Amino acid sequence: MHSNDKETLFKEALGNYPTGVTIVTVTDDEGTPFGLTVNSFASVSIDPLLILWSIDHKVSSLDAFKHSDRFAVHILAGDQQQLCQRFASKGTDRFGESNWSMSELGLPVLDDAFAVLQCKKYNQVEAGDHTILIGEVADISIAREKEPMLYHRRCFGAIPSQFYGE
Ligand SMILES: Cc1cc2nc3c(=O)[nH]c(=O)nc-3n(C[C@H](O)[C@H](O)[C@H](O)COP(=O)(O)O)c2cc1C
């Protein structure tokens, strides 16, 4: 039986909305890296170059993101399912099990993403049980030979080939 209460309908509608998948990373004051899997990422503005994502107040790295003046968004490639799950699961050694390096901007950058956007924090806005983090893009790298990951109804993977037509 499907429930028709508004929250259930909201989750059903939004859960069916296809997105890409990102991992957003940051360091705390001691330089320890933190990160999580995120699909609330969106483009906001061209002038200046702004993006946003939102973080649940329950996430353990909330304070690191709220206190830092920067963060890095990795748009995952279609073959990065393992990384996607690692950064969404409790009790995994997210950075210990992953290949990454510290960037010149002092941000933990994971290897092999489709694209990496290193951002200076532009604004943060409290919104219900999440905080919206808006970033101004300071540096972008793209692996043009790769394709991004697709996420839909809790399934994720490479973009199906028929997507592109001929
Ligand atoms: C595909 C996917 C998208 C997610 N998007 C978000 C998001 O936009 N914001 C968020 O706060 N959590 C999001 N999550 C959940 C977080 O990844 C998860 O709660 C987080 O890794 C928990 O971190 P913690 O163990 O450090 O608290 C998403 C999870 C998945 C699998």
Side-chain angles (χ1 to χ4, degrees), residues 48-69:
L49 295 174
L50 301 179
I51 56 90
L52 67 72
W53 64 287
S54 62
I55 183 167
D56 192 318
H57 291 164
K58 291 194 222 104
V59 171
S60 65
S61 51
L62 176 68
D63 282 349
F65 282 104
K66 285 180 93 163
H67 292 146
S68 175
D69 64 353

Side-chain angles (χ1 to χ4, degrees), residues 22-25 34-38 53-56 59 61 65 84 87-88 94-95:
T22 68
I23 291 176
V24 189
T25 59
F34 292 93
L36 71 154
T37 299
V38 160
W53 64 287
S54 62
I55 183 167
D56 192 318
V59 171
S61 51
F65 282 104
C84 169
F87 276 77
R94 294 180 182 181
F95 288 89

